[in-house]
């Protein structure tokens, strides 16, 4: 189930969206940003972005793949994200990857 959050760009602009995320066995996070990203400048995806989670905590994400339905990302689990909805939402991103 998607969770409401927002992306904070380097400029400080905040873009509301939904996301899904899981913690991988190696401790990395992977997930998807859900929504119409066509209006975003494609250069935005070249930088790491800050995902602000539903509970107010945040994690830095790196976009790995952009689709017409959103974008896939990876992130390293930060100490600040422990015990947060940033740590893991029970879902998978396989549907977007295929």
């Amino acid at each position: 189930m998607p969770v409401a959050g927002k992306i904070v760009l380097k400029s400080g602009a905040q873009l509301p969206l939904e996301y899904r995320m899981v913690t991988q066995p190696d401790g990395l996070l992977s997930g998807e940003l859900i929504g119409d990203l066509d209006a975003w400048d494609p250069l935005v995806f070249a930088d790491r972005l800050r995902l602000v989670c539903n509970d107010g905590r945040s994690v830095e994400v790196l976009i790995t793949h952009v689709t017409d339905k959103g974008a896939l990302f990876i992130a390293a689990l930060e100490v600040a994200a422990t015990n947060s909805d940033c740590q893991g939402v029970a879902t998978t991103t396989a549907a977007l990857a295929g």
Side-chain angles (χ1 to χ4, degrees):
M1 170 177 250
V3 178
K6 61 186 169 187
I7 287 290
V8 180
L9 304 177
K10 282 189 172 189
S11 68
Q14 298 183 8
L15 307 169
L17 49 65
E18 292 185 319
Y19 67 93
R20 288 188 272 221
M21 189 170 5
V22 294
T23 304
Q24 301 299 322
D26 60 4
L28 292 177
L29 301 172
S30 65
E32 64 181 313
L33 304 177
I34 303 165
D36 182 9
L37 306 181
D38 288 338
W40 293 25
D41 181 344
L43 292 176
V44 166
F45 301 117
D47 289 323
R48 291 183 179 168
L49 304 172
R50 175 85 27 202
L51 171 62
V52 178
C53 299
N54 192 12
D55 66 358
R57 297 181 192 213
S58 66
V59 64
E60 193 174 75
V61 301
L62 179 64
I63 302 298
T64 59
H65 184 74
V66 179
T67 73
D68 60 344
K69 297 178 180 133
L72 301 178
F73 66 85
I74 57 171
L77 184 60
E78 298 174 1
V79 175
T82 305
N83 298 322
S84 158
D85 72 320
C86 282
Q87 185 173 357
V89 175
T91 188
T92 182
T93 60
L96 269 184

